[in-house]
Amino acid sequence: MFQSSEKFKAAIQADSRMFDVRMTIGSGSAIMDIGAEVKALLFATAAISGDCVSIGGALSSSIQVTMKNPETEIDGQELTVAIGVLSGDAYLFCPIGKFTPEKIINDDGLISFTAYDRMQTKLSKKYKGNISFPVDGKEALIHISYVTGVPLAESFTKLPAGVMIPQKFKTMEVDHKVGDTIYYKEVYIDPFDDCTYRDALNYIAQFYGKFAVIDRYGKIDFRWYDSVNYIVPPSKYYDDFKAESSEFKVGRIECKSETKTIVSGTSTPSIEIENPIMTQSRLDEIYTQIKDFTFIPASVSFLGDPRIDVGDVVMLQDKYGKIQYIPVMKMTMDYDGGLITEIQSCGKTETQTEASNNTSGPATQAIDSIQQELLEIKNALARKENVESCTAKTLSTTMITPSATGNWYYSSAVSSLANYDEIRVWLEIVDGQKGWVTLNRSNPAETVITLYLTASYNARVQLKWDTSSNKVGIYVRNIGSGWTVNQISIKRIVGVRMN
């Protein structure tokens, strides 16, 4: 978890919050801040690719961004991203990561793109090594860092010495003959031949019983799950909390290679990995290291906090005071002026493990891992219902903010509204709810949105499309004491279906 100042902590835990994004390119004296142009940002990160806790990882984090088209070119340039919260009259920022955009789409002055961290942009290249194996794992990491230019995080200094990375068995070949007797010898090759640097990090992290990620500063980081003394109270999380009925505990670790499976531990459920160079002795040490890791698989979304990291174990307090511990294995953060964080812990129960009976080979698992990463991004975007769909056209980005309850507040006349039978309006109710509301010309009557979190945090909002004057109006009927009416706003109007 990012260690913030006390001022940041107070601001992020306040009932009323305002956020901003800082996005910079360049370095040194040539840094350029383009973050003020960001309209929406979705950050997705994970320690695992599947539906069960594991070791290794080496998954890429990503951001999905919608922003005004900056004056400077950003395609292919690394972006340094931070999210800030307003404290007094200034924003205090928390770094999120370094990402490089791909496939920028321009739509009438607004651009959208996906950007990936260095796990994808620098470490997905074919491994090239000039070190001899067996070698200490820390030496292998130093070599990868030197060749790729991706620095090692502080966690590197805490890795134990003497964890050796062996060569990989390739084949048996004839050594010599004595009469009619043929003697064979084992042939070994470098363990990361035909791998990427990312694959190598996955295997090395497994040798340490950890998972590999790229941290907030663009560095290679090895982590396991640690408590961070962070509590999400009932007033801060939404009603989507889900938890399994039984806990997960590491019963054993199964490691598959092309030719054999080695196992440490005797019960289920299990962690299943693939590593062609894992040894029985090292797997036994890893099992001893993590066998007491216990949790209940769960997921929840809450008022966002950019300080949380994958690998943190956060506490969720229910309305009865009971504490649920959630190791963060998958996480998204959704910024649209406010911030929502969603976290998930994953583990198969004993019944689920026996039912799955996964027998996929290395190639299949590699494909599944890639597909899972793409699916995580797709699912996150589906929940968000991104405005930059192929049929949507931005009509107005002028914010409409009511200043009092009981009155209608309208946009300026938007002449292009006359061309549409269906529009969508982006409505934000503080940090409580953000999303699209669809309005139809055939039924332009008032649309009512009701939000209730607690007795202090609730609102009733009405929207109306005045088709005669080509305006959209907002009306706040009531709002809880924890919020103020000017924290509710329409931020965007898009045309969906033309008449």
Side-chain angles (χ1 to χ4, degrees):
M1 184 172 182
F2 178 73
Q3 300 303 305
S4 66
S5 66
E6 288 300 315
K7 281 188 176 181
F8 189 102
K9 181 178 179 181
I12 203 70
Q13 293 179 343
D15 291 332
S16 178
R17 313 176 309 165
M18 294 184 66
F19 293 94
D20 193 17
V21 170
R22 183 173 65 195
M23 184 179 293
T24 60
I25 58 175
S27 59
S29 60
I31 291 179
M32 179 180 296
D33 188 346
I34 59 173
E37 305 299 317
V38 175
K39 302 298 182 182
L41 182 148
L42 178 67
F43 170 63
T45 185
I48 59 174
S49 61
D51 57 0
C52 187
V53 61
S54 190
I55 54 177
L59 301 178
S60 176
S61 299
S62 67
I63 55 173
Q64 296 275 344
V65 178
T66 300
M67 64 183 295
K68 287 185 178 180
N69 195 5
E71 295 180 358
T72 185
E73 179 62 48
I74 65 171
D75 191 11
Q77 296 199 54
E78 189 171 70
L79 310 174
T80 299
V81 178
I83 292 178
V85 61
L86 186 63
S87 176
D89 58 356
Y91 283 93
L92 303 177
F93 285 91
C94 172
I96 299 301
K98 296 178 179 292
F99 308 90
T100 302
E102 296 181 359
K103 298 180 180 178
I104 297 176
I105 300 172
N106 194 326
D107 178 14
D108 195 23
L110 282 175
I111 63 171
S112 59
F113 60 83
T114 302
Y116 298 92
D117 70 5
R118 291 174 174 178
M119 192 70 77
Q120 172 68 26
T121 60
K122 292 182 178 290
L123 291 160
S124 291
K125 301 173 183 177
K126 181 175 172 56
Y127 178 89
K128 295 180 181 179
N130 57 3
I131 57 175
S132 299
F133 292 88
V135 71
D136 190 294
K138 298 180 75 170
E139 290 297 319
L141 289 174
I142 290 172
H143 172 72
I144 291 173
S145 175
Y146 174 77
V147 173
T148 62
V150 182
L152 300 171
E154 184 69 22
S155 61
F156 170 78
T157 62
K158 300 176 183 178
L159 294 176
V163 176
M164 302 302 293
I165 307 300
Q167 291 180 301
K168 181 170 68 174
F169 174 77
K170 182 180 181 181
T171 187
M172 301 286 291
E173 65 179 28
V174 175
D175 185 23
H176 63 280
K177 288 184 178 181
V178 177
D180 293 332
T181 303
I182 302 175
Y183 294 88
Y184 293 87
K185 64 179 180 180
E186 297 178 338
V187 177
Y188 291 85
I189 58 175
D190 284 353
F192 307 135
D193 281 5
D194 299 322
C195 287
T196 64
Y197 293 106
R198 183 174 173 177
D199 296 330
L201 285 179
N202 172 48
Y203 295 144
I204 296 172
Q206 290 174 349
F207 265 74
Y208 288 98
K210 299 182 181 294
F211 61 86
V213 294
I214 298 297
D215 72 7
R216 299 171 181 268
Y217 304 100
K219 299 179 180 180
I220 298 169
D221 197 7
F222 280 15
R223 299 176 185 169
W224 192 239
Y225 299 95
D226 291 316
S227 295
V228 291
N229 193 28
Y230 183 92
I231 298 179
V232 182
S235 61
K236 299 293 186 182
Y237 66 86
Y238 297 95
D239 59 1
D240 59 352
F241 172 61
K242 297 178 182 179
E244 296 287 347
S245 58
S246 58
E247 69 178 16
F248 174 94
K249 184 175 182 180
V250 180
R252 65 180 175 184
I253 306 176
E254 293 185 7
C255 180
K256 300 177 183 178
S257 67
E258 290 89 343
T259 57
K260 63 180 180 179
T261 298
I262 57 177
V263 178
S264 186
T266 57
S267 63
T268 57
S270 63
I271 290 177
E272 299 177 358
I273 63 172
E274 294 197 10
N275 190 323
I277 55 175
M278 182 61 70
T279 64
Q280 184 67 61
S281 60
R282 188 59 202 161
L283 194 67
D284 291 341
E285 291 178 19
I286 295 167
Y287 174 71
T288 300
Q289 176 181 319
I290 67 174
K291 64 183 177 65
D292 295 325
F293 182 51
T294 304
F295 64 94
I296 294 179
S299 65
V300 68
S301 58
F302 52 92
L303 300 185
D305 192 331
R307 298 176 298 167
I308 296 173
D309 280 313
V310 165
D312 291 343
V313 180
V314 304
M315 294 176 282
L316 186 82
Q317 182 184 35
D318 66 21
K319 61 183 179 180
Y320 304 106
K322 183 180 179 181
I323 297 295
Q324 175 82 54
Y325 292 87
I326 304 180
V328 182
M329 300 178 186
K330 298 180 180 181
M331 179 175 69
T332 62
M333 284 195 297
D334 190 353
Y335 163 84
D336 276 293
L339 191 70
I340 297 175
T341 298
E342 181 179 352
I343 59 174
Q344 183 178 2
S345 59
C346 309
K348 294 181 180 179
T349 64
E350 182 172 352
T351 301
Q352 290 170 330
T353 301
E354 292 173 351
S356 65
N357 193 23
N358 184 3
T359 57
S360 61
T364 302
Q365 183 174 354
I367 294 171
D368 288 346
S369 177
I370 295 170
Q371 290 176 334
Q372 183 65 31
E373 283 189 52
L374 295 174
L375 183 60
E376 291 297 326
I377 296 171
K378 180 180 178 181
N379 286 343
L381 287 173
R383 291 191 297 269
K384 187 178 173 65
E385 192 178 357
N386 196 323
V387 67
E388 309 305 328
S389 64
C390 61
T391 60
K393 178 71 172 179
T394 300
L395 305 181
S396 175
T397 57
T398 301
M399 188 163 63
I400 312 164
T401 304
S403 56
T405 59
N407 294 312
W408 279 98
Y409 295 84
Y410 286 92
S411 67
S412 300
V414 182
S415 60
S416 52
L417 281 171
N419 301 323
Y420 287 87
D421 284 336
E422 183 178 303
I423 63 172
R424 280 186 290 177
V425 175
W426 181 262
L427 174 67
E428 294 192 0
I429 305 177
V430 202
D431 279 338
Q433 179 173 310
K434 304 176 186 66
W436 294 104
V437 179
T438 300
L439 304 177
N440 291 284
R441 178 177 294 277
S442 60
N443 184 23
E446 298 171 16
T447 299
V448 180
I449 297 93
T450 301
L451 172 66
Y452 185 93
L453 299 180
T454 68
S456 298
Y457 300 101
N458 60 84
R460 183 178 175 88
V461 181
Q462 295 168 234
L463 301 178
K464 181 168 61 175
W465 180 7
D466 187 338
T467 56
S468 61
S469 61
N470 293 322
K471 296 180 180 180
V472 172
I474 181 171
Y475 178 100
V476 179
R477 179 173 294 276
N478 59 270
I479 188 166
S481 60
W483 291 334
T484 58
V485 67
N486 60 4
Q487 291 178 293
I488 298 177
S489 62
I490 291 173
K491 289 196 170 179
R492 201 167 181 186
I493 303 170
V494 300
V496 178
R497 183 165 51 84
M498 300 188 73
N499 52 34

